[in-house]
Amino acid sequence: MTVDTPVNGTHEAIKAGLGLDHRAMLSKSAIARPPSAIRSLFPQELIPGMLSLLAGKPNASTFPFESISLGLKNGDKIDITGSDLDDALQYSATAGLPRFIEWLVQWQHKIHGRDIVRKGDQVKDGKNSWRVTVGAGSQDLLTKTFHALLNPGETCLAERPAYSGILPPLQTMGINIIAVEGDREGMSPVSLEDILANWHTNVSTRDLPFPKFVYTTPTGANPTGTTASEQRKKENLDIARRYGILILEDDPYMFISFQGLGEGTPETRRRVRTYWSLEQDDAERYGGTGWVLRFDSFSKVLSAGIRVGFLSGPNTILDAIDLDTSSANLQPNGAAQAMVLALLERWGIDGFLRHCDTVAEFYQNRRNNFEQKAQKVLGTNNGKQKAVAEWITPVAGMFLWFKLKLPPTDEGVEEGDSFSLIGEKALKNLVLAVPGVAFMPDSKTTCYVRTSFSLIPEEDVEEAFQRLRKTVIEAWQESGHAMP
Ligand SMILES: Cc1ncc(COP(=O)(O)O)c(C=O)c1O
């Protein structure tokens, strides 16, 4: 293995096959953050026989709640009562309710094949140590990860286009976001390697600190709807490991994948392996695991408002994130975790996977209708009209990313600008889509728009597209150019 680029102070370690030095990757504020004097003693309370005078926990007997009763749409009822309720309503571990954490660790084992080696109540295996922490959705954990890893003025890589939610926290921190180009399968290894290999000579990067991570949404990406194959992930992971950067795998749409849906059972159906799973292959050669931070979310398959997501990754980085949590909000919402846990315990992983497949089927049907109408109205409709848009068929998630055929802008942007189109003409025509610039780390002008097929009533889709088509045609008419 050769690494020609000094990275993050870990060059020698990587060259020697020792893996990433996670401590060396932490931001100054993460290193300076003192542990909570009280919370750091919480685990000791669990020692058998311990008499704790420790925390200022309110006495749960004074809480007015008798139970949390969940009624499921299939008619089932789940009641959270007794000590489960007390735990849910009480201050608890910073990473999350211990039983919930345990469940999530088992989940990572069963779904992604991650090895578990236990020491105490943590998952540890020397260099391959990893654990799980819970947050108020994956957004919470993404932002905390940025704080844990980056100092103002430092650099990261993000696929272009990227989930727009990562941009404000990074921009506010003054982070240089270098865009990795995408294609039909999302983040391109050619672009990734090109950026990293030429970092110190390329005029746009040579004066910047070497990046610590690359951010990607590998399944049903928001906004592009693209999904990376296993081969694609292997290539990107290989590059990340050769250059000594982390992969931030933000994968909230993993369980809304249409690939392999209906083949076999939900438990056995073929699923594309994740970066989190793949980093176990060949791990010894790269000094162990610890190259991937994986963000999971219950928002898309259980509830978005419940605000429960979780992060899996190397202990050192998760420890820094937990210190952030302990100073920002002490812990994730216990009642919300207890609700998810109660459901997962009732269903088991297999039941959860079965539920996810019904969700995936729902979105697949919507995708089919949406795309069929798009073909009819925005495409050529079997050669009967000029297309005003093109797109890649999404095989997961809830987004369709249209490349609109727009007139060139007055500033000379050949492919046109969807921002002014949506902000002015589309609004007037009563149709809305998100202008693509919202997903561009560098605010690059673009002709793309993101549309979502998750909510719009199926019978309104055709009309929405008619309005979009009208909007595009008006733009050409007003531009004075002939539409090709
Ligand atoms: C790619 C991506 N990451 C993260 C999030 C945030 O999810 P959560 O609700 O878990 O915070 C979203 C929400 O739309 C998303 O699309």
Side-chain angles (χ1 to χ4, degrees):
M1 178 180 49
T2 55
V3 177
D4 300 323
T5 315
V7 286
N8 305 322
T10 60
H11 181 43
E12 294 309 319
I14 292 163
K15 241 180 160 174
L18 295 174
L20 281 178
D21 178 352
H22 298 123
R23 177 102 195 140
M25 297 185 97
L26 294 181
S27 66
K28 289 190 182 115
S29 63
I31 290 170
R33 199 187 298 282
S36 153
I38 299 173
R39 292 202 146 242
S40 56
L41 288 172
F42 270 13
Q44 322 303 331
E45 278 192 315
L46 302 175
I47 295 173
M50 182 66 71
L51 296 179
S52 175
L53 305 172
L54 191 68
K57 290 180 181 172
N59 193 309
S61 67
T62 64
F63 297 160
F65 303 101
E66 180 75 3
S67 67
I68 298 176
S69 295
L70 305 173
L72 303 191
K73 286 180 175 157
N74 67 4
D76 273 4
K77 294 256 175 297
I78 305 176
D79 288 323
I80 305 169
T81 56
S83 62
D84 287 351
L85 183 70
D86 288 349
D87 291 348
L89 299 180
Q90 188 53 277
Y91 289 123
S92 180
T94 309
L97 292 176
R99 213 162 85 212
F100 189 40
I101 294 284
E102 173 61 26
W103 217 94
L104 299 175
V105 167
Q106 289 300 333
W107 164 304
Q108 298 300 42
H109 174 60
K110 288 195 180 137
I111 293 184
H112 304 276
R114 290 294 303 221
D115 290 338
I116 304 174
V117 178
R118 295 196 176 285
K119 186 174 165 203
D121 60 354
Q122 292 220 331
V123 179
K124 287 204 170 147
D125 177 20
K127 278 180 295 176
N128 298 322
S129 65
W130 64 274
R131 65 179 183 88
V132 167
T133 194
V134 178
S138 45
Q139 179 70 38
D140 179 34
L141 296 163
L142 282 163
T143 300
K144 286 173 177 164
T145 301
F146 302 154
H147 292 158
L149 293 175
L150 296 169
N151 298 304
E154 287 191 334
T155 318
C156 72
L157 305 181
E159 61 192 3
R160 177 168 64 194
Y163 164 54
S164 58
I166 64 160
L167 301 179
L170 289 169
Q171 286 159 347
T172 314
M173 291 170 71
I175 302 304
N176 308 291
I177 311 169
I178 302 298
V180 183
E181 296 304 334
D183 60 16
R184 305 184 67 81
E185 287 196 34
M187 188 167 78
S188 152
V190 177
S191 173
L192 183 62
E193 175 110 42
D194 182 52
I195 290 169
L196 292 169
N198 298 306
W199 191 268
H200 298 290
T201 49
N202 191 319
V203 279
S204 58
T205 54
R206 68 183 177 205
D207 296 326
L208 299 176
F210 201 77
K212 289 180 174 168
F213 64 77
V214 60
Y215 167 89
T216 183
T217 306
T219 318
N222 179 358
T224 56
T226 51
T227 295
S229 65
E230 210 159 291
Q231 180 56 28
R232 167 62 58 95
K233 288 179 190 171
K234 281 182 182 162
E235 288 170 32
N236 284 331
L237 177 62
D238 176 59
I239 295 166
R241 293 200 285 201
R242 280 192 283 114
Y243 287 91
I245 63 170
L246 290 158
I247 291 188
L248 269 52
E249 175 179 46
D250 183 16
D251 210 4
Y253 305 98
M254 167 175 179
F255 295 106
I256 311 182
S257 167
F258 318 141
Q259 291 175 311
L261 190 59
E263 290 166 21
T265 63
E267 302 85 310
T268 61
R269 83 178 240 220
R270 179 178 60 81
R271 288 178 203 275
V272 176
R273 284 180 69 198
T274 57
Y275 284 108
W276 176 239
S277 169
L278 289 167
E279 74 154 340
Q280 292 203 121
D281 298 359
D282 237 2
E284 281 319 305
R285 187 162 164 236
Y286 294 97
T289 56
W291 297 87
V292 177
L293 285 167
R294 177 173 170 84
F295 299 82
D296 279 287
S297 172
F298 290 105
S299 290
K300 317 297 173 179
V301 288
L302 293 187
S303 156
I306 208 163
R307 308 305 304 135
V308 180
F310 63 102
L311 167 62
S312 313
N315 289 357
T316 306
I317 296 175
L318 267 67
D319 289 349
I321 289 166
D322 281 356
L323 282 186
D324 191 351
T325 295
S326 73
S327 68
N329 47 344
L330 298 183
Q331 64 176 73
N333 179 329
Q337 293 177 76
M339 285 166 63
V340 176
L341 175 63
L343 184 75
L344 293 176
E345 286 184 335
R346 171 68 62 89
W347 280 355
I349 285 187
D350 289 350
F352 173 77
L353 292 176
R354 280 196 292 279
H355 165 74
C356 289
D357 272 11
T358 61
V359 177
E361 219 173 295
F362 172 89
Y363 286 112
Q364 187 183 35
N365 290 337
R366 284 187 153 255
R367 188 274 320 257
N368 291 347
N369 175 56
F370 204 71
E371 194 176 15
Q372 190 215 337
K373 300 289 168 14
Q375 187 51 43
K376 182 173 167 195
V377 180
L378 303 174
T380 61
N381 195 11
N382 295 322
K384 293 189 202 116
Q385 64 193 17
K386 281 184 182 171
V388 297
E390 52 188 74
W391 61 91
I392 294 164
T393 303
V395 293
M398 50 186 71
F399 301 111
L400 208 145
W401 179 239
F402 285 115
K403 181 179 187 188
L404 297 181
K405 194 197 284 180
L406 297 180
T409 66
D410 295 342
E411 294 75 31
V413 180
E414 207 42 48
E415 290 194 329
D417 177 14
S418 61
F419 182 73
S420 54
L421 183 92
I422 297 294
E424 295 157 20
K425 297 181 187 54
L427 222 51
K428 199 160 55 66
N429 287 331
L430 291 179
V431 61
L432 271 184
V434 189
V437 67
F439 307 94
M440 298 297 167
D442 46 7
S443 303
K444 188 175 173 240
T445 302
T446 172
C447 59
Y448 283 87
V449 289
R450 188 196 77 177
T451 59
S452 170
F453 47 86
S454 58
L455 271 185
I456 182 164
E458 306 241 46
E459 60 278 15
D460 289 345
V461 172
E462 186 165 342
E463 176 60 23
F465 287 159
Q466 290 291 3
R467 293 179 191 184
L468 197 56
R469 182 176 182 90
K470 178 169 179 262
T471 307
V472 172
I473 288 172
E474 283 174 6
W476 280 101
Q477 286 163 348
E478 284 174 29
S479 75
H481 294 88
M483 191 168 102

